[in-house]
Structures are given as C-alpha cells and as structure tokens.
Amino acid sequence: MYGLVNQAVQGMVIAGFGEDIWERIKRDAGVDLDAFVSMESYDDSITYSLVQAGSAVLDMSPEDILRAFGEYWVLVTAAEGYPELMQAAGSTLPEFLGNLDQLHTRVLMTFPELRPPSFNCKEVRPGELCVKYMSERVGLAPMVVGLLEGLGKHFNTQVEVTVVEVAEGPVAATEFRVLYGVAESPA
Amino acid sequence: MVLVDVGPGLQSLNKDMAPGSLASDWLTIRRPAISFDFPSLVENAGLAFLIECRAVDGLVLRGQVLHDPEQGVLFFLGGPQVANFSEMRALGLGLRDLPPHDSMGDMLVLLETKQAALVDAQNLAEKLTMKRKWFQALIAASSDIVGVIDRSGCVEYVSPGIEKLRGMTSEALVGESFIDWLHEEDAAALRAVLNNENWGPNARHHQLVRLQDCHGVDHTLDVSLRNMADHKYVGGIVINLSDVTDRLELRHQLLQVQRLDTLGQLAGGIAHDFNNLLFVIISYAALLKDAAEPESRDWEDLDEILQAANDASGLTSQMLTFSRKQEVELSTLSFRSVVDEMMDMLVRLVGEKYKLSARTEGSISLVSGDEAQLRQVLINVVVNAKDAMPEGGEIEIELADVEIEEERLDCLGSLVPPGNYVVCTVIDSGAGMSREVLERAFEPFYTTKGRGKGTGLGLATVYGMVAEHRGAIFVDTELGRGTRFSFWLPRSNSAPSGEAKAPSAFVPNLETERILVVDDSEAILKVVDRVLGQRGYEMHTASLPSAALEVVQGEPVDLMLVDILMPEMNGMQLVEKAHALNPEIKVLMMTGYSTAGILEQVTEANLPVLWKPFTPETLIARVRGVLDGDVDQTPG
C-alpha cells in the first residue's frame, strides 16, 4: 500500500491516543520506520501488522480499528489532503459513490502501483443504495463500512450501512445496503 | 452552420443550447485563428481546437473537429479546458463532466495528488530537520561526548563537546585517530579491544582513559564502547566519553575527609581519656603541693609534675581541637586587627632569617570567631611557612574580602557555600608540597619535619579550628615553587563584641553544703571527693546513675556534679530523674569534650558546664558559684 495509507493510520492513532501509543504500536508491529512517504509503495504486511498491533495495544478488535480508519480516511486524510478532488468527485453521496471507480482509475496515473478496490453503486430506490465492493485484498470490508459512514458525515447525511452478502474467494466481494438521508428510527 | 445534435453534458449545462440553433450563437473559435465557416473547419480538422462555449459563462472547450463527408456534418469531441478542480467547480462542473477518453481528468487528478505529495514531502522534510536539530541540541547540551569510530580508531563522527578538549571543531576531527589522543597505556588497552576479532556485533567495552587537553591539562575519561558496525544506520563503533576528572577528585577528597573524621574521632576519644587521667594527676599534685613546704624539694618536684601535666593538657587540647570537640567561644571580631596585633610576635617567632610582611586588599569585613583559636591558626600556618624555608625567605600574609556566588569544594573536599568570606593567605617561596604530602598534611601526627622537630598537630589543629568556624582551606602548592595557604572565614554582619567579662574572683570559705559527684571514673570521684571534702562539703559519690538516684532518694543533696557521658544513661537523663525526686538540687555538669546532641540539651536547659581537665581551684570556684546561684556556662 502507498505510504499515504500508513500515514493515515499513524494520524488516526496519534490524534486519538497520542504519540507514545503510536510508537508502541509501531514497535510491537516491528515497523522500524520514522515516517511514511505518501507516494512510496510499502508492503501490505506493514499496514496489516500496524492494525494487528493497534488492536492489541488499544484493546480494540481489528474490525473496529478498520472501521474507524475508514471514517478517518474520508473525513481527515481525503478531506484535508485532496479537498478539490473530493469536491470534484461529487456533491452528493450517490454521485460520489457513482464516480468512485472513475476516480480510482484516474488516480492510477499518479499511483501506478495502486491496486484500488472497485465500487459499483446503484440506486435501488430513493434513499437506498446497493454498493458492491470488490478488492484483491481480503479482510478490509469493515473499513468500507467506515468509509461509507464517513462519507455520510462528509455529505451531512445520515447513513445506515448493512452488509447484505459476503462472497469468499480470491477476490473479496461484499454487497452493502446503504440507507441515506433516513430519519433516525424510533427506539 | 446549424447545430445538428448537442451532447448530454452540454445540454445539462444549458437546455437552450438545442439542435437547430445557430452554432455561431453559442460557439466562438479561439484557436486556431480561422474563420468560423464549414470549409475552414473541414480544412483544419485534426488540429486541437479551443472553442468558447456560451452555454456557461467562461467555459472553454478543448477538442478536435472531425468531418463526416457522407453525412456532410462536423463532429466536435472535447471537454472543458481547465487548469484545476477549482476552475471546474467555478464553472459548476464535476468529474463526471470530463469525458472518460479525455486525459484532462487524469491531468487534474495528477496535479492534485502531486500537490498533496509535495506538501507531504515538505512536511516530512520539516519534521526531519526539526528532529535533527533537536538531536543536535540534545547532544550539544550533554556533558558527555558521543562519537562513532571505526575499527582502527578513526573518528567518523564526534559531538561538539570534544571541542573544549581538543581545541578543534568536531568536523575537523573527523578522520583523526581517537586512540592517538590517549595516554599510551590506555591507548594500547583500547587498541587491543578493537583489534580483537572476537569483539563482535553489539559487544561492549568500558575503560577509564587519560587524555591531555589542548591546554595541557590532564583529564580522566570514562569511555564506553559499543560495536554497532553491523547497524544499518550507525555502521561503526559508538563511543561515549564522560569526563570524570572532577568526580574522581571529589571521591578522593571525600575519602580524605572521611579519613580525617575517623582520625578525629580516634584522637577525640584518646584526648578525653587523657584528660581524665591528667585531671587526677593535676588535682593530686596540686593538693600535695598545697600541703608541701613552699620552696622545699617536694614543692619544686610537684611544681615540675604540674608543669608537665599542664603541657600534656595543652597537647590533648590540640587533639580535641582537631577532632572539633573543643568548645569555641565565638565573638564578632576584626581579623585584620588580630593580624596587626600579632605581627610583632610573629616576626619574633620566625626569626631574623625571614622577612614577614602583611598586606591588605581593600577593607576587610568582620568575622565571627574564637580569637584565641584564630591566633593559633595564624601562628601554625606561619610556622609551617617558615619551616618550609629552612634557609630563610619571605613570608607574606594577605588579607582580602572575597565573595563567591556558587558553592565550591575546598582542598579537603568540604563544600563551601556561596557567600562573603574574609580570606587570609600565607605565602611562602619554600619547598612546596607534593600531592601525596598535601593529602596527609592535615592528619594528626603526620609531619615531614623529622623526628622530634614537630608534633604533627599544627595543620591538624588548623583544620579543626577552621572547620569549627565553618570556614574553608585552600592550598596552592607545587614542589619547589612554594605554597599559598588560604583559610576562609565567613563574614559576620554583627557589630564587634564588647570586652569579655573578667572571671569572678575565688573567695575561699569553709563550706557546709551536701554534694553528690557522679562519674564513671573512680579516680575522678576520689579526687573530686578529696578536693571538695577538704573544703568542708559533705560529699557523696556514685559511679553509676542508678547509684546516684539512690543517694538522691535517701539523702538531702544541695548540688550534683554530673559527668555528661556515663553508662546506663547520660548526664542529662540522670539530672531529669534526680529533679523528679528533688527539684531543688543544683547541677554542675562535667565533660572532657563536647558531645553533639547532649551538649545542646545541656545548653538548652541552661545548666553550667565544667570542662575537664580542671584545676582544684577552678573546681572549688565553679561549685561555689553554682551553689551561690551563678549559672555561667563558660568553660572553666
């Protein structure tokens, strides 16, 4: 993964738990690097090790960490690092999700070693989206939940994400049902 | 030319731009510079066109014109000409408005991501610079010196701390041999370590080395080595140098002070026992002398005994001074006046071969001191200076006021607190002292003057007296180059003390009171019993406090004469118990030397103290005084 992703993991941990905890996670993960360079490609195992060590140090499940990371990615990394791109990609949740694949395709010119996931988004009915996520990398579906929830916050719309179907295989495929703009359901 | 069809992208921007309308109503060619007519467009098809589109204010389309001769139409394929996403947003366009085949979108993404990467790289560079400067400041602030050498001892890096030792910048020292800086023996030992093939990765070595700095001053360094040649960033042997010269000196001085303290305790203990014996000798000799015919042979013999015993008493007094167990009588005085008054006497003392002079720098403050002791200090130091120049020479006494802002250690390792001092320096141009001699110079009975020529108590006494005055001693000496001996006395802010009151005269009387003497020394009990018994007192004696309390319980007692240090309980505890039985009993404490703690209690209780050894006259006078209500505690 590109250093950008690991930078985001670092930023999330430091913002939430402080520099010392980040150093501890890095040490436990066996990562002997002072900093990540955003445009440099790093081995995926570094990111996975950081998530695993973070899970142990923070006493959080890896799924929760990935979910929090997804949200951080949208609200901090992308929003602060690529604000123009985020705005150009869409002004509503369905528009943004609809442009996401094209966005990743264009980003490949800058990050040639990128192996981006693919998002297929269809509006099932007003306020309901069917998002199909496919990735070469397994186990990152919880991060997509965080991404979708983060996008909800980005577009200032309430979002409810449900995993509809998980397909195992060489390519991780997960189908999500996304309700957006929905009022809070009564207790 | 009429618009035949309009793509959905443009239509969504402006619905009025519909088929059938005149092309010239909506479009203006910016480049190439051709007229907006069909043949010109056909002729230039294949060129890159920039066309202003009035569907949206400021929108310029970039694309290519294609000619379909069969249908007789021209196609224009293009997208918005923008430099960044901000411009796009200003036109109300988004990523979807960029045709998939158009590389403009890729370029915009590229620009945006490269810009972010640039910011990231700048941040990273800033962070690394900060970190580097932080480490540099940290290393520069450290009192230790850190470096990296290779196996041959060549310096690859050394921190700036080295500069004060080598007199060159740390950068200039790169490439020099660290080992060559060291004392030959230490260099050999270190070289052996570095040449040892078994001294492998992560191995450590620790050694003290001697090094002479660029000013020729010797230093002792504590060197730690760690082999980090395999470390991917260090790639060499890390050295840590800690200058322990002062620490070793301090430890050395501390040991010296401890040795002097031990000797002091020993000397104090011996002097105490001697005092008791001398007291008995002096008392009996005085009694016998009183009984002898004046000027008779016995009378003269006894006078000799008393003379010798008094001399011995003087020696024990010096030992007590060294052990700081001699009470001092402090008063505010001018040391300058003391020196002035003593000059004639000192000139006579050193003799004709010596030229003695005194010099004063500025006004000299008052000090708080025991005048007799300070006179003794000056005499001892001047005599020492004289003895260092057997062939004669010049002795100079300098007086000066000195203020120090930071604490420092004197030559005996005692801490000298910041403050104002009067410094008296005695300078001679004599033999000087070696380091070894200086280290032992303050020990009692240590002398270099040869058998029978010195007691070895001179400087020991000076040490005890100056320490008692909370002063300090500094000695600057070198073999063959003389000695500057300074003693520092804390400045006093009080007004000069008045004249000491004259001791009250002893008036003989035939006494009738009842006296209890308590001392664990039978000899002292006997002699006090005899001296006071002869005066007519009714005497009781007790060698233990428990026996004394039995006497107090059973007999009327007017005065208790109590030794301070005794088995079972100390004198103060005995007095408390006795007063519980009979609060009317008057008390006179006796002691051979001051014992920290107990003596303070005695002083706080305002009890009079009689210092051993004492003469029968003094004993009789002090006892009478206490019985008559005089509680003067001055040593008798």
Side-chain angles (χ1 to χ4, degrees), chain B residues 292-338:
Chain B
E293 186 72 32
E295 310 301 330
S296 68
R297 180 76 181 264
D298 285 350
W299 190 91
E300 282 175 0
D301 289 350
L302 286 162
D303 195 52
E304 286 294 322
I305 291 171
L306 278 169
Q307 189 71 41
N310 281 325
D311 287 350
S313 175
L315 277 177
T316 56
S317 174
Q318 284 189 60
M319 283 166 67
L320 284 169
T321 303
F322 165 70
S323 61
R324 284 181 270 160
K325 284 171 176 167
Q326 185 83 302
E327 268 299 279
V328 290
E329 278 189 276
L330 295 178
S331 61
T332 302
L333 55 93
S334 160
F335 193 64
R336 181 182 181 166
S337 303
V338 171

Side-chain angles (χ1 to χ4, degrees), chain A residues 33-80:
Chain A
L33 290 168
D34 266 349
F36 297 104
V37 180
S38 62
M39 298 289 284
E40 195 175 316
S41 180
Y42 295 85
D43 198 283
D44 279 6
S45 63
I46 291 179
T47 314
Y48 285 116
S49 299
L50 287 171
V51 171
Q52 213 156 23
S55 164
V57 171
L58 304 174
D59 197 21
M60 286 169 74
S61 69
E63 289 76 19
D64 284 347
I65 288 187
L66 285 170
R67 188 167 165 168
F69 175 66
E71 191 170 307
Y72 185 86
W73 177 265
V74 171
L75 296 176
V76 181
T77 308
E80 289 179 5

Side-chain angles (χ1 to χ4, degrees), chain A residues 7 38 84 87-88 95 110, chain B residues 86 89 95-96 106 113 117 120:
Chain A
Q7 272 184 350
S38 62
E84 301 290 343
Q87 282 175 355
E95 187 190 349
T110 317
Chain B
S86 299
R89 202 169 67 247
L95 206 58
R96 66 182 184 285
D106 296 337
T113 48
D120 176 57

